[in-house]
C-alpha cells in the first residue's frame, strides 16, 4: 500500500447513482479499518465510496488518535500517510484486570530511572555501574547519565529492559522463580499474540535482524498506544509511542492471566 497517497472527499468521479466520490480498494480498506475501530461509515456500510459519512468517520478518528510520533493527527478528513499509519496500528482499548493494572502502574512509576546492563531496581552507584557495565564505552555512557542525574537530583535506580519486567514478576510479586532475558521472557513466560491483540500489560519485543529468531529487547504496553521501556544508556526508562521503535513480536504474560 502506498502510504503517501491522500484520499480526499470529494474527488471528481461520476457515478449516476452515487454522485461524485472517490472509490476503489483503498477506500474499502479505510472503511474496514474505521469499522473495526468502532466508527460508523454510514447506512450503506463498506461500499467503497468516500462519501460524507466516511469522511465524518475519518474526522472523528483523527480527533481521537495520534500519529507514529505520538502527535495528534491533523483533523482534515484526508487519509494521508499519518492517518494511514494510525488506522493500521490502532489497538482498541480492552478491559484490564487489576493484576495488569498494577503491573502497568509499576512500570509507569519507573519512568525517569537510569539504564544500566543488569539493572533490576538497584540503587545505582559508580562502583555498581562499573561492575555491571563490562564494556568501557558502555560504562562511560551509563556514567554520563548517572552524573547528570546526580546533578539534577533525578532518580538513580537502574534497570535494563528485561530487569524492568523481572523486578516486578520475580522480586516483588514472586510469580517467576528465576531471572529471564528478553528472549526468555518471550519464549518461557508469554503466550504469543499479534499486534492487534495487544492489551494493557502485554509485552512488546524486538528481534535480532540476523540469525535465528532471538528477541533482544522488551517493553511494556500501557494500553493507550504507548510503551514503557528501559530503552538504553542514553535514554533510561521512557514512555514512547508504540510506533516509534519497530516492535516486531508481542506476548501476553501467562502469570498475570
Amino acid at each position: 500500500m502506498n502510504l503517501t497517497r491522500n484520499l480526499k472527499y470529494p474527488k471528481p468521479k461520476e457515478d449516476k447513482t452515487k454522485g461524485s466520490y472517490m472509490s476503489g480498494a483503498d477506500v474499502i480498506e479505510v472503511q474496514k479499518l474505521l469499522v473495526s475501530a468502532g466508527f460508523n461509515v454510514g447506512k450503506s456500510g463498506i461500499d467503497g465510496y468516500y462519501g460524507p459519512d466516511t469522511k465524518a468517520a475519518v474526522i472523528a478518528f483523527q480527533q481521537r488518535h495520534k500519529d507514529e510520533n505520538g502527535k495528534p493527527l491533523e483533523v482534515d478528513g484526508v487519509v494521508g500517510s499519518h492517518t494511514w499509519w494510525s488506522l493500521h496500528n490502532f489497538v482498541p482499548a480492552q478491559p484490564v484486570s487489576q493484576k495488569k493494572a498494577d503491573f502497568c502502574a509499576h512500570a509507569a512509576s519507573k519512568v525517569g530511572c537510569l539504564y544500566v546492563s543488569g539493572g533490576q531496581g538497584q540503587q545505582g552507584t559508580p562502583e555498581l555501574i562499573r561492575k555491571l557495565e563490562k564494556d568501557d564505552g558502555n560504562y562511560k555512557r551509563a556514567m554520563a547519565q548517572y552524573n547528570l542525574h546526580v546533578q539534577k537530583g533525578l532518580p538513580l535506580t537502574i534497570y535494563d529492559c528485561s530487569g524492568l519486567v523481572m523486578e516486578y514478576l520475580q522480586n516483588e510479586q514472586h510469580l517467576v522463580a528465576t531471572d529471564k532475558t528478553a528472549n526468555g521472557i518471550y519464549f518461557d513466560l508469554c503466550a504469543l499474540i499479534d499486534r492487534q491483540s495487544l492489551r494493557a500489560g502485554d509485552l512488546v519485543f524486538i528481534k535480532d535482524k540476523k540469525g535465528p529468531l532471538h528477541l533482544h529487547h522488551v517493553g511494556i504496553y500501557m494500553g493507550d498506544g504507548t510503551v514503557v521501556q528501559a530503552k538504553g544508556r542514553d535514554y533510561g526508562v521512557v514512555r514512547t509511542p508504540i510506533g516509534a521503535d519497530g516492535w516486531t513480536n508481542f506476548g501476553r504474560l501467562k502469570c498475570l492471566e
Side-chain angles (χ1 to χ4, degrees), residues 6 53 87 117 131 200 213:
N6 285 338
D53 290 329
L87 281 166
S117 179
K131 179 180 179 181
L213 180 61

Side-chain angles (χ1 to χ4, degrees), residues 18 31 40-49 53-54:
K18 296 287 186 178
Q31 290 175 326
N40 186 354
V41 295
K43 292 181 179 179
S44 58
I46 299 169
D47 59 3
Y49 288 90
D53 290 329
T54 299

Side-chain angles (χ1 to χ4, degrees), residues 120-132:
Q120 202 176 93
Q122 307 98 312
Q123 184 74 359
T125 64
E127 295 75 19
L128 179 59
I129 294 172
R130 175 72 275 186
K131 179 180 179 181
L132 294 174

Side-chain angles (χ1 to χ4, degrees), residues 20-34:
S20 181
Y21 298 90
M22 183 173 186
S23 63
D26 286 336
V27 178
I28 290 174
E29 184 167 1
V30 167
Q31 290 175 326
K32 286 181 178 179
L33 291 167
L34 287 167

Side-chain angles (χ1 to χ4, degrees), residues 115-119 122 126-143 160 233:
Y115 182 106
V116 174
S117 179
Q122 307 98 312
E127 295 75 19
L128 179 59
I129 294 172
R130 175 72 275 186
K131 179 180 179 181
L132 294 174
E133 292 287 7
K134 310 299 183 185
D135 177 85
D136 284 342
N138 289 338
Y139 166 72
K140 291 177 181 178
R141 289 165 61 200
M143 280 303 301
D160 64 13
R233 295 167 187 86

Side-chain angles (χ1 to χ4, degrees), residues 22-237:
M22 183 173 186
S23 63
D26 286 336
V27 178
I28 290 174
E29 184 167 1
V30 167
Q31 290 175 326
K32 286 181 178 179
L33 291 167
L34 287 167
V35 170
S36 70
F39 294 86
N40 186 354
V41 295
K43 292 181 179 179
S44 58
I46 299 169
D47 59 3
Y49 288 90
Y50 202 110
D53 290 329
T54 299
K55 181 183 179 182
V58 168
I59 289 173
F61 180 88
Q62 290 172 329
Q63 289 172 333
R64 304 180 195 180
H65 295 92
K66 297 180 179 181
D67 66 14
E68 61 271 32
N69 300 310
K71 296 180 180 179
L73 291 169
E74 183 177 358
V75 181
D76 58 3
V78 176
V79 184
S81 60
H82 297 304
T83 299
W84 264 122
W85 183 92
S86 188
L87 281 166
H88 279 271
N89 290 276
F90 169 69
V91 180
Q94 298 285 345
V96 59
S97 68
Q98 189 60 51
K99 287 183 179 180
K100 292 186 178 181
D102 292 343
F103 180 43
C104 288
H106 174 270
S109 73
K110 306 306 177 182
V111 171
C113 291
L114 291 162
Y115 182 106
V116 174
S117 179
Q120 202 176 93
Q122 307 98 312
Q123 184 74 359
T125 64
E127 295 75 19
L128 179 59
I129 294 172
R130 175 72 275 186
K131 179 180 179 181
L132 294 174
E133 292 287 7
K134 310 299 183 185
D135 177 85
D136 284 342
N138 289 338
Y139 166 72
K140 291 177 181 178
R141 289 165 61 200
M143 280 303 301
Q145 292 301 314
Y146 172 85
N147 290 331
L148 186 63
H149 277 227
V150 170
Q151 293 170 12
K152 294 186 175 182
L154 298 173
L156 300 179
T157 312
I158 63 173
Y159 292 94
D160 64 13
C161 68
S162 59
L164 184 62
V165 176
M166 294 307 302
E167 181 205 25
Y168 186 79
L169 299 182
Q170 183 182 10
N171 300 345
E172 292 202 9
Q173 299 299 311
H174 308 292
L175 298 172
V176 179
T178 57
D179 194 16
K180 302 285 183 182
T181 63
N183 202 61
I185 292 170
Y186 181 74
F187 286 107
D188 297 341
L189 303 183
C190 288
L192 310 189
I193 60 174
D194 59 28
R195 186 187 183 111
Q196 293 304 313
S197 300
L198 278 172
R199 300 175 185 172
D202 289 339
L203 302 181
V204 294
F205 299 84
I206 298 176
K207 65 182 177 181
D208 293 334
K209 295 181 179 179
K210 298 181 180 179
L213 180 61
H214 181 270
L215 290 304
H216 69 271
H217 188 56
V218 60
I220 302 161
Y221 181 63
M222 303 301 286
D224 62 351
T226 66
V227 172
V228 170
Q229 57 173 312
K231 187 171 181 177
R233 295 167 187 86
D234 302 324
Y235 303 94
V237 180

